[in-house]
Amino acid sequence: MGQRTESISVTAEPAAGRLTPESEAALRALARGVVLTPDDPGYRDATALHNGAVERTPAAVVQVGGVEDVVLTVRFAREHGLSPSVRGGGHGVAGHAMGGEVVIDLSALRDVRIDPDARTAVVQGGATWADVDAASQAHGLAVPGGRVSHTGVAGLTLGGGEGWLSARHGLSSDNLVAVELVTADGRVVTASEDSEPELFWALRGGGGNFGVVTSFTFRLHPIGPLVLGGMFAYAVAAAPEVLGVLAELHESYPGDFGGAAAFLTAPPAPFVPGDVVGRPVLAVIPAWFGDLDAGFDAIRPLKDQLAPLIDAVAPMPYVALQTLLDAGSPKGLRNRWSGGFVHQLSGPLVSDLQDAAMRMPSPLSQIIISPLPDAVRALPDDATAFPARDGGRWLVHPVGLWAAPADDAANVAWVTDLRDAVRRHGETGSYLNLDDADDDRVRWAMGEGRYARLQQVKAAWDPQDVFRHCAHVRVPR
């Protein structure tokens, strides 16, 4: 995989629209929450996203105080010819949250209400998975969420939502019971299987194309409190054997084993031997949700058949598993990602991944490899708008992560080369939550039939394309 230069695509990009003094005063008078414009203290912090490479200057950020603020801000933006975008957790790598001229910032809306008898959670649109995990585990319950706990619930769920617990209970969006949504014309509607079912179908994998989700109602499941987690790590050269065992464990223990692998640079952590720190390794996190003794027996091949350089696997609280990767994904660094599915981890593809792992330009970067679990693939392909159930089994997710703008070219080229390698080796689809996808790639990833159905929902609920700062579905002509 040869090096080439490519500039990072999400650098400073000023928004076109601006508020007049009169319209700014009107917006401030409308909103119960905080309105920030470029001259206000706090504006810079309010426009900072997880991806530090995204530097945009919207005309206003409205830190909404409730659903009414969302309604009023959507109507205000439309009346003044301004494009709105929506910030939930601010974790999306493409920076769509700051793409609009008026940003509807949900980050103050983080309430999580658990009904332990009904086993449901009502989660506001600005919550993170850490909020959900803490509240639900207080009752011994959980719903599949992101592998990094400061990821926002909204963006992950609307794009599908795959995580450790997906091995047992499918996607985050597969566990939705209902969604409360503010539409492009400022109405508040509830979508569920019984109310607006076609909109509900589209919201489960179709992204932020249809409105501002102010709350999600999830189905919860008994989990923990202890699960099996931690890390094994191996020499990069052992990748074919390690990935082979990983595949066998997923086939042998569906529902209990939810492990994934990642090429990364061994961190200076207490559980890492000194002679391994700083070396490229292939790590495996063997997430196990069944009986703990059975789990130790099941994962024994990862220890006995192979030769781990790091052996730090132990029972831990579910919330600890959910935060295990947080330290490796700090806010404010520069990010470039890709995410493509393939049917199999072929020898030539694994060889390319090994090569890339040995020449990472940043010690913070990773190449994550995880299967799409049987619990996800078991649903019919058209059950929701999520596009990848019947496609490739394995997700290959390069994560470029670095600090200095001067290093953009090398890091972007590294991710681009990996993206191209996945495509050469038979990419079948894209996980759009991980992909800075243009409209054409969104259409390809969705497939023509699903995309046409999404277009019909878009035409019904947002015919003026108000919500276009997302993995965009075009309004049909």
Side-chain angles (χ1 to χ4, degrees):
M1 296 185 292
Q3 280 267 336
R4 64 169 145 315
T5 59
E6 179 184 333
S7 62
I8 195 162
S9 64
V10 286
T11 52
E13 182 181 307
R18 284 289 177 262
L19 300 177
T20 65
E22 294 76 16
S23 61
E24 180 180 332
L27 181 58
R28 292 185 189 278
L30 280 175
R32 183 161 56 93
V34 177
V35 176
L36 297 170
T37 59
D39 294 331
D40 288 327
Y43 174 87
R44 184 173 179 83
D45 287 343
T47 56
L49 297 174
H50 180 79
N51 184 358
V54 177
E55 300 174 7
R56 292 176 179 155
T57 55
V61 176
V62 183
Q63 297 175 328
V64 297
V67 175
E68 184 180 3
D69 271 359
V70 177
V71 170
L72 294 172
T73 305
V74 169
R75 290 176 177 170
F76 173 89
R78 293 199 63 178
E79 289 167 4
H80 291 80
L82 299 170
S83 171
S85 59
V86 184
R87 176 185 178 136
H91 210 276
V93 69
H96 293 310
M98 290 296 144
E101 293 152 343
V102 175
V103 175
I104 300 169
D105 184 347
L106 303 175
S107 58
L109 306 183
R110 295 178 62 171
D111 185 53
V112 180
R113 287 181 285 119
I114 305 296
D115 184 333
D117 296 326
R119 291 184 177 173
T120 58
V122 179
V123 181
Q124 287 189 307
T128 67
W129 286 106
D131 299 325
V132 176
D133 293 337
S136 58
Q137 274 290 281
H139 303 278
L141 301 170
V143 62
R147 289 188 175 93
V148 173
S149 74
H150 48 77
T151 302
V153 170
L156 188 92
T157 302
L158 293 172
E162 194 270 340
W164 301 119
L165 194 53
S166 294
R168 177 164 283 195
H169 295 299
L171 302 174
S172 306
S173 56
D174 294 340
N175 289 275
L176 276 175
V177 176
V179 172
E180 181 185 81
L181 181 83
V182 176
T183 64
D185 57 1
R187 291 180 293 138
V188 181
V189 302
T190 297
S192 68
E193 293 285 6
D194 299 321
S195 175
E196 308 297 353
E198 193 67 3
L199 176 61
F200 188 54
W201 173 86
L203 289 167
R204 290 173 291 165
N209 282 282
F210 311 103
V212 185
V213 175
T214 50
S215 75
F216 301 85
T217 302
F218 290 102
R219 185 182 307 108
L220 300 176
H221 308 275
I223 289 293
L226 293 180
V227 299
L228 197 58
M231 180 187 292
F232 291 118
Y234 308 88
V236 170
E241 294 77 18
V242 174
L243 294 173
V245 171
L246 184 69
E248 290 171 4
L249 289 172
H250 275 281
E251 291 172 5
S252 299
Y253 303 102
D256 286 337
F257 183 75
F263 292 99
L264 49 80
T265 301
F271 61 86
V272 179
D275 62 338
V276 179
V277 171
R279 289 175 54 181
V281 296
L282 177 60
V284 173
I285 295 179
W288 177 271
F289 301 106
D291 176 80
L292 294 181
D293 289 336
F296 277 114
D297 288 341
I299 68 170
R300 193 171 301 281
L302 288 168
K303 185 171 182 176
D304 293 349
Q305 293 183 20
L306 304 165
L309 304 172
I310 299 170
D311 181 350
V313 173
M316 61 180 59
Y318 174 74
V319 292
L321 173 67
Q322 287 292 94
T323 62
L324 206 59
L325 303 184
D326 285 11
S329 185
K331 180 179 178 179
L333 294 179
R334 303 175 77 79
N335 285 251
R336 182 63 167 253
W337 303 353
S338 181
F341 289 100
V342 293
H343 281 299
Q344 60 181 352
L345 298 174
S346 66
L349 173 57
V350 172
S351 178
D352 279 350
L353 299 180
Q354 290 173 290
D355 175 64
M358 297 304 294
R359 58 177 184 81
M360 288 183 188
S362 167
L364 305 173
S365 295
Q366 303 178 27
I367 309 167
I368 300 170
I369 303 166
S370 62
L372 194 65
D374 288 348
V376 177
R377 298 164 64 87
L379 289 181
D381 183 56
D382 62 353
T384 71
F386 181 72
R389 293 186 202 275
D390 66 349
R393 171 73 169 179
W394 292 92
L395 176 66
V396 181
H397 172 29
V399 178
L401 189 62
W402 68 100
D407 296 331
D408 282 359
N411 286 279
V412 170
W414 180 78
V415 174
T416 302
D417 280 353
L418 274 165
R419 179 202 68 191
D420 292 347
V422 172
R423 293 179 183 180
R424 282 198 311 273
H425 292 295
E427 184 185 41
T428 63
S430 171
Y431 184 22
L432 293 173
N433 274 350
L434 309 178
D435 200 331
D436 186 4
D438 61 18
D439 288 5
D440 289 338
R441 183 159 172 82
V442 171
R443 184 171 193 143
W444 170 80
M446 290 293 181
E448 287 301 321
R450 178 178 284 102
Y451 190 83
R453 186 174 172 183
L454 286 166
Q455 283 189 299
Q456 294 306 309
V457 181
K458 180 77 168 175
W461 290 95
D462 185 16
Q464 302 303 315
D465 204 18
V466 172
F467 299 110
R468 56 184 178 273
H469 300 290
C470 54
H472 184 230
V473 173
R474 296 188 184 107
V475 178
R477 295 180 179 177

